[in-house]
Amino acid sequence: MGDLRVDVADAVATLTLDRADALNSLTIPLKVELLATFRRLARDREVRAIVLTGAGRAFCAGQDLRERLEPGATPLATELRERYNPLILAMRTIEKPIVGAINGVAAGAGASLAFACDIRIAAEGASFLLAFGRIGLVPDSGATWFLPRLVGPAKAAELALTGESLSAADAERLGLVAKVVPAATLLEEARALAGRLASGAPRAIALTKRALNRSWDTTLEESLEYEAYLQGIVGATDDHREGLAAFVEKRPPRFSGE
């Protein structure tokens, strides 16, 4: 692989942005590779959960601004529509849980990548920063959609308009991250969480993620009906039967994904 490391073990794929010398900033090749990887993992039945993290001291510093200064650089709107937007949508529509292991600063579109994960665990020194205003831009890659839903409209407005940094501790207090851990144990904790998710019933987890995504834009009545519809699907699976049998027999279930 190029600037993305992919390691698979025990049904968990760990994706590591690997441009540590450039704070894992996003280039066209890295975005293309990342999107292709998510699409491939979506079809890989051996992978049941994903960890996304960064090499070195940053999670992701966002767009590589040196690339934007190159002659003939793609217009920003086109870059978003062709590369960033498909990537964020791939992360939200892949029916496998993504654990963000936020090892350092997540800035700009790097913060958006973190927001697009299903669950986030942060190292003690990590932070989130919507630095778009510092270069005369607006937050993108889903930041204006995710952040109000994750931390509330008032805090989202403060972070987006002022460009102030949000520490890992404050992110935990706001519910943006599930927990904060020492940097030395971050990847271990993230993989352990992903491992627990990977041991669950794949179809049920996939449809739970689908229902959570859908719930942000539906009424309670619509969500209730959608839950009933999904239960009709998973209630007929082998995994549901296995779960019931394991409960009665007082043993761990062995889910097959069927």
Side-chain angles (χ1 to χ4, degrees):
M1 306 294 279
D3 293 327
L4 180 69
R5 294 203 315 268
V6 181
D7 303 290
V8 178
D10 301 321
V12 174
T14 301
L15 278 54
T16 305
L17 306 177
D18 197 15
R19 302 188 69 230
D21 57 341
L23 302 181
N24 302 316
S25 56
L26 298 166
T27 59
I28 289 175
L30 178 53
K31 283 174 280 189
V32 169
E33 189 173 12
L34 194 54
L35 176 58
T37 299
F38 276 117
R39 287 177 171 170
R40 175 174 57 81
L41 293 177
R43 302 186 300 270
D44 189 341
R45 291 175 59 86
E46 300 303 311
V47 171
R48 294 188 177 186
I50 299 166
V51 172
L52 179 63
T53 193
R57 60 190 179 92
F59 174 73
C60 176
Q63 171 64 41
D64 187 329
L65 296 180
R66 293 172 299 183
E67 189 179 72
R68 297 301 312 156
L69 295 173
E70 293 177 358
T74 306
L76 279 172
T78 301
E79 186 67 18
L80 285 166
R81 292 180 178 122
E82 292 186 353
R83 298 190 179 90
Y84 281 103
N85 295 357
L87 174 56
I88 297 300
L89 289 173
M91 293 178 66
R92 293 312 312 149
T93 57
I94 188 173
E95 295 199 324
K96 300 177 183 187
I98 303 173
V99 176
I102 315 304
N103 56 298
V105 65
S112 298
L113 284 182
F115 301 157
C117 295
D118 295 292
I119 304 174
R120 287 155 293 279
I121 297 177
E124 290 172 338
S127 60
F128 300 87
L129 176 65
L130 295 182
F132 295 91
R134 298 182 183 182
I135 53 173
L137 295 176
V138 300
D140 60 30
S141 303
T144 63
W145 191 86
F146 287 115
L147 204 55
R149 290 165 169 81
L150 292 171
V151 303
K155 192 63 180 181
E158 177 188 345
L159 294 171
L161 294 171
T162 67
E164 291 180 356
S165 178
L166 182 70
S167 69
D170 286 340
E172 182 182 27
R173 179 177 55 82
L174 290 167
L176 179 60
V177 301
K179 62 180 176 178
V180 177
V181 300
T185 64
L186 174 66
L187 200 52
E188 177 186 352
E189 294 259 8
R191 283 175 169 159
L193 173 56
R196 292 199 298 274
L197 295 169
S199 69
R203 191 63 176 150
I205 287 178
L207 296 185
T208 298
K209 178 170 177 175
R210 190 187 298 182
L212 288 170
N213 281 337
R214 190 176 185 274
S215 72
W216 286 2
D217 296 301
T218 61
T219 65
L220 172 59
E221 183 178 13
E222 290 168 336
S223 291
L224 289 168
E225 173 54 34
Y226 195 58
E227 288 169 352
Y229 166 71
L230 295 180
Q231 291 293 47
I233 295 173
V234 293
T237 61
D238 291 342
D239 276 350
H240 174 55
R241 287 185 283 275
E242 164 63 13
L244 289 177
F247 177 80
V248 171
E249 297 166 14
K250 296 182 172 55
R251 60 171 174 81
R254 296 180 292 273
F255 294 121
S256 66
E258 301 298 330

